[in-house]
Amino acid sequence: MTEKRPFDILNAALNNNVVVGLKGGRDIRGLMVSYDVHMNIVLEKAEELANGEVKRGIGTVLLRGDSVVYISPA
Amino acid sequence: MTEKRPFDILNAALNNNVVVGLKGGRDIRGLMVSYDVHMNIVLEKAEELANGEVKRGIGTVLLRGDSVVYISPA
Amino acid sequence: MTEKRPFDILNAALNNNVVVGLKGGRDIRGLMVSYDVHMNIVLEKAEELANGEVKRGIGTVLLRGDSVVYISPA
Amino acid sequence: MTEKRPFDILNAALNNNVVVGLKGGRDIRGLMVSYDVHMNIVLEKAEELANGEVKRGIGTVLLRGDSVVYISPA
Amino acid sequence: MTEKRPFDILNAALNNNVVVGLKGGRDIRGLMVSYDVHMNIVLEKAEELANGEVKRGIGTVLLRGDSVVYISPA
Amino acid sequence: MTEKRPFDILNAALNNNVVVGLKGGRDIRGLMVSYDVHMNIVLEKAEELANGEVKRGIGTVLLRGDSVVYISPA
Amino acid sequence: MTEKRPFDILNAALNNNVVVGLKGGRDIRGLMVSYDVHMNIVLEKAEELANGEVKRGIGTVLLRGDSVVYISPA
């Protein structure tokens, strides 16, 4: 059985694409390579999305947990 | 007798549809599969709503407790 | 003598209608069935209000204490 | 000599009218019947003000300390 | 030598006029009669300023430290 | 070797001009005379800037650390 | 193997260019010379960006961790 507790979702998403919604409304999509207990998240090959379209490439990015609203496997 | 304390509502909502209102005004509807003491919440088959209409599909999503405004069984 | 300390107001409001004002400006009216020390609040038969008019029905809802601005017996 | 430390102002205001300014810009005027160390405040015969005019009656209201910007004896 | 550490500024300002800038943009000017470690501040003969002009008189007011952005001796 | 850790920057800036950016967008320039571990900062001969131009003189000012976004030696 | 945990990203970025996104929407690009556990960050040769273009030069700047949304190696 796949675990579905909040941090299990993060663990299952490692090395997979996710979309992370940030406070202020920005959405970032990328490959999740790590996270920690504060929900700080590292994405690679990241892109900023606007209305579902790629707005710009970002590459590697560390998202600060305090700014994270949601995380969704892409 | 059904319990109605705040976390009882979350427990009773497991495996049922809920609408979660987020800071900034986004509403997300989906099947609640888990939560923790920080009110981090995992939804499956999630959809973003706008004025009660489905705006877009999201799938599985982890909502960070700090961003949650309300949770309502759908 | 009726007690009037902050949490006495919550206790006296149990099983009565209240209006809860939330950060961001939303007002929710409903029957208060529980609260906890974080001011997490459960309402039943809840409705969202706009300018004093009912905007939409919500049913049961858990309001996260961190988002509560005020609570007023209706 | 009247004490003037921050919580002395709250104590002196008990059973008197105050105006409480809230985050987001709302001003509430009413009779202060209690407060606690978190600056949670209970007002009776409360009214919401807009530009110094009464906008609507509220009655009894519990204002959450975290949302309080200022308190002024009326 | 006059001390200039942050809380020395508050102490030196006692019984003098200060302007306090609040989150959300409001500026309040008045006679500072007390403060505490949370930067809760009591002003007397307070006035709200808009663009450097007096907008309205407030009298005595307790400003909650969490809402304070800056304090400047007037 | 000049130290470059975050609080070394503050220490090196003592008695020099800095620009402090505040939440909400205000920029204040002045002579930094002290700071503490909360990043509360005291400036003298302070001026508020708008688009790089002096908008108004402020004199001595205590900036609350919680409102500070950035500090830059001028 | 290159480490990819959140703080490893910061460490790997030392003495390299990064773009730091701040609450409120400002993006700052510069050479990262230090950081601490609060994600306070020191940049040199920093520039504020608007829509990917340089808006103004800043020089050395200390960015307060509480205001940081993301950090991306440039």
Side-chain angles (χ1 to χ4, degrees):
Chain A
M1 197 189 89
T2 310
E3 289 286 346
K4 297 289 180 58
R5 290 170 302 179
F7 276 86
D8 294 322
I9 294 292
L10 292 179
N11 204 47
L14 282 173
N15 301 313
N16 287 292
N17 278 313
V18 297
V19 176
V20 181
L22 299 174
K23 286 183 189 169
R26 286 198 262 209
D27 287 340
I28 312 289
R29 183 172 61 194
L31 186 73
M32 194 170 104
V33 296
S34 74
Y35 65 89
D36 63 22
V37 294
H38 305 291
M39 283 204 200
N40 295 317
I41 290 171
V42 178
L43 302 182
E44 292 190 344
K45 297 176 190 163
E47 301 168 314
E48 182 173 346
L49 305 179
N51 300 312
E53 302 288 315
V54 174
K55 188 177 160 191
R56 60 171 179 135
I58 299 178
T60 299
V61 67
L62 164 55
L63 304 172
R64 196 161 157 270
D66 180 59
S67 292
V68 171
V69 174
Y70 70 83
I71 302 155
S72 178
Chain B
M1 198 189 89
T2 310
E3 289 287 346
K4 297 289 180 57
R5 291 170 301 179
F7 276 86
D8 294 321
I9 294 292
L10 292 178
N11 205 47
L14 281 173
N15 301 313
N16 287 292
N17 278 313
V18 298
V19 176
V20 180
L22 299 175
K23 285 182 189 170
R26 285 198 263 209
D27 287 339
I28 312 288
R29 182 172 61 193
L31 186 72
M32 194 170 105
V33 297
S34 74
Y35 65 89
D36 63 23
V37 295
H38 304 292
M39 283 205 200
N40 295 317
I41 290 171
V42 178
L43 302 183
E44 292 190 342
K45 298 176 189 164
E47 301 168 313
E48 183 173 347
L49 305 179
N51 300 313
E53 302 289 314
V54 174
K55 188 176 161 192
R56 60 172 179 134
I58 299 178
T60 299
V61 67
L62 164 55
L63 305 172
R64 196 162 157 268
D66 180 59
S67 291
V68 171
V69 174
Y70 71 82
I71 303 156
S72 178
Chain C
M1 198 190 88
T2 311
E3 288 286 347
K4 297 289 180 58
R5 290 169 302 180
F7 276 86
D8 294 323
I9 293 292
L10 292 179
N11 205 46
L14 281 173
N15 301 312
N16 287 292
N17 278 313
V18 297
V19 176
V20 181
L22 300 174
K23 285 181 189 169
R26 284 198 264 211
D27 287 339
I28 312 288
R29 183 172 60 194
L31 186 72
M32 194 170 103
V33 296
S34 74
Y35 65 89
D36 64 22
V37 295
H38 304 291
M39 282 204 201
N40 295 317
I41 290 171
V42 178
L43 302 183
E44 292 190 342
K45 298 175 188 162
E47 301 169 314
E48 182 173 346
L49 304 180
N51 300 313
E53 303 288 313
V54 174
K55 188 176 160 191
R56 60 172 179 134
I58 300 178
T60 298
V61 67
L62 164 55
L63 305 171
R64 197 163 157 268
D66 180 59
S67 292
V68 171
V69 175
Y70 71 83
I71 303 155
S72 178
Chain D
M1 197 190 91
T2 310
E3 288 287 347
K4 297 288 180 57
R5 291 170 302 181
F7 276 87
D8 294 322
I9 294 292
L10 292 178
N11 205 46
L14 281 173
N15 301 312
N16 287 292
N17 278 313
V18 296
V19 176
V20 181
L22 300 175
K23 284 181 188 168
R26 284 199 263 210
D27 287 339
I28 313 289
R29 182 172 61 193
L31 186 72
M32 194 171 103
V33 296
S34 74
Y35 66 89
D36 64 23
V37 295
H38 304 291
M39 282 204 201
N40 295 317
I41 290 171
V42 179
L43 302 182
E44 292 191 342
K45 298 175 189 163
E47 300 169 314
E48 182 173 346
L49 303 180
N51 301 313
E53 303 288 314
V54 175
K55 188 176 160 192
R56 61 172 178 133
I58 299 178
T60 299
V61 67
L62 165 55
L63 305 171
R64 197 163 156 269
D66 180 59
S67 292
V68 171
V69 175
Y70 71 83
I71 303 156
S72 178
Chain E
M1 197 189 90
T2 309
E3 288 286 348
K4 297 290 181 58
R5 291 170 301 179
F7 275 87
D8 294 323
I9 294 293
L10 292 178
N11 204 46
L14 282 173
N15 301 312
N16 287 292
N17 278 314
V18 297
V19 176
V20 181
L22 300 174
K23 286 183 188 168
R26 284 198 262 210
D27 287 339
I28 312 289
R29 182 172 62 194
L31 185 73
M32 195 170 103
V33 296
S34 74
Y35 65 89
D36 63 22
V37 295
H38 304 293
M39 282 204 202
N40 295 317
I41 289 172
V42 179
L43 302 182
E44 292 191 341
K45 298 177 190 161
E47 300 169 313
E48 182 173 347
L49 304 180
N51 301 314
E53 303 288 314
V54 175
K55 188 175 161 192
R56 61 172 178 134
I58 298 178
T60 299
V61 66
L62 165 55
L63 305 171
R64 198 163 155 268
D66 179 59
S67 292
V68 171
V69 175
Y70 71 83
I71 303 157
S72 179
Chain F
M1 197 189 90
T2 309
E3 289 287 347
K4 296 292 181 57
R5 291 169 301 179
F7 276 87
D8 293 322
I9 293 293
L10 291 179
N11 204 46
L14 281 174
N15 300 313
N16 287 292
N17 278 314
V18 297
V19 176
V20 181
L22 300 175
K23 286 183 188 166
R26 286 198 262 209
D27 287 340
I28 313 289
R29 182 172 61 194
L31 185 73
M32 195 171 102
V33 295
S34 73
Y35 65 89
D36 63 23
V37 295
H38 304 292
M39 284 205 201
N40 295 317
I41 289 172
V42 178
L43 302 182
E44 292 191 343
K45 297 177 190 162
E47 300 169 314
E48 182 172 347
L49 305 180
N51 300 313
E53 302 288 315
V54 175
K55 188 175 161 194
R56 60 171 178 134
I58 298 178
T60 299
V61 67
L62 164 55
L63 304 172
R64 198 163 155 268
D66 179 59
S67 292
V68 171
V69 175
Y70 70 82
I71 302 157
S72 178
Chain G
M1 196 189 90
T2 309
E3 288 288 346
K4 297 291 180 57
R5 291 169 302 180
F7 277 87
D8 293 322
I9 294 292
L10 292 179
N11 204 47
L14 282 173
N15 300 313
N16 287 291
N17 278 314
V18 297
V19 176
V20 181
L22 299 175
K23 286 183 189 167
R26 285 197 263 209
D27 287 340
I28 313 288
R29 182 172 61 195
L31 185 72
M32 195 170 103
V33 295
S34 74
Y35 65 90
D36 63 23
V37 294
H38 305 291
M39 284 205 200
N40 296 317
I41 289 171
V42 178
L43 302 182
E44 292 190 343
K45 297 177 190 162
E47 300 169 315
E48 182 172 347
L49 305 179
N51 301 313
E53 303 288 315
V54 174
K55 189 177 160 192
R56 59 170 179 136
I58 299 178
T60 298
V61 67
L62 164 55
L63 305 172
R64 197 163 156 267
D66 179 59
S67 292
V68 171
V69 174
Y70 70 83
I71 302 156
S72 179

